[in-house]
Amino acid sequence: MRLSKSAIEAFGYCPYSFWIKYIKKFKTPANEAMLRGTRFHDFAEKFFDKCDELPPERWEEFVDETLKEDEQAYQLWFIQKERARYEKLLDEGKEDYFIPVYREVHINSTDLKLHGYIDRIDCNDKHKKTFTLVEY
């Protein structure tokens, strides 16, 4: 058995729920938190696919206005943080570091018996080969 971040969180939250889902393998329907998480991941993917089509001061146009206010607010928060990161990179002459090097990278460690996904990998310095792993 290999564990994912979700499985470890499930066990920490409720060992019985972990047993049902990961040991007995009963399928459970998606709950609202899972659906929100999926919607945010989809938003982040679309943002990086299209952010070069608009200047940073118009990135708010990517917010999905069909969602509830709190989900829109989270998307706005993400945009504000990404705009600040972009402006910092621009000041440093590193604006080409803005787009993540990788997104949705599957990792699998047979030694540690863990697997999961890294939401994105940002480059910090190409020469020093330093990166930031980002978890949404």
Side-chain angles (χ1 to χ4, degrees):
M1 173 184 222
R2 290 203 175 107
L3 294 174
S4 65
K5 176 182 162 241
S6 298
I8 293 167
E9 286 178 345
F11 183 81
Y13 180 72
C14 178
Y16 182 70
S17 174
F18 171 87
W19 180 78
I20 295 272
K21 186 172 182 180
Y22 295 97
I23 304 298
K24 294 306 248 174
K25 307 253 189 240
F26 290 132
K27 297 290 180 198
T28 55
N31 61 35
E32 184 58 25
M34 293 165 64
L35 296 171
R36 284 172 173 259
T38 298
R39 285 192 295 266
F40 181 78
H41 277 255
D42 291 346
F43 165 77
E45 284 295 303
K46 288 176 189 170
F47 173 81
F48 284 112
D49 286 343
K50 297 182 178 266
C51 65
D52 60 343
E53 296 176 10
L54 291 176
E57 60 271 8
R58 291 184 50 202
W59 285 349
E60 282 80 6
E61 293 177 29
F62 293 124
V63 171
D64 185 346
E65 294 179 357
T66 66
L67 298 176
K68 293 179 181 177
E69 282 186 33
D70 61 328
E71 286 185 85
Q72 289 182 38
Y74 195 58
Q75 290 179 357
L76 286 168
W77 174 85
F78 176 85
I79 288 168
Q80 291 166 355
K81 295 294 182 185
E82 290 306 314
R83 183 182 294 120
R85 185 173 72 87
Y86 177 78
E87 290 170 356
K88 182 176 185 283
L89 289 168
L90 193 61
D91 288 345
E92 296 170 355
K94 296 181 178 180
E95 60 271 14
D96 58 326
Y97 287 22
F98 180 68
I99 299 297
V101 180
Y102 297 103
R103 293 184 273 160
E104 297 299 324
V105 178
H106 184 251
I107 56 170
N108 188 6
S109 172
T110 53
D111 293 336
L112 297 174
K113 306 250 187 270
L114 295 171
H115 75 94
Y117 286 86
I118 298 171
D119 292 330
R120 79 177 205 236
I121 301 174
D122 294 342
C123 182
N124 298 324
D125 190 307
K126 292 177 184 175
H127 304 293
K128 294 180 183 176
K129 298 180 181 174
T130 58
F131 300 88
T132 299
L133 306 181
V134 180
E135 167 65 28
Y136 298 142

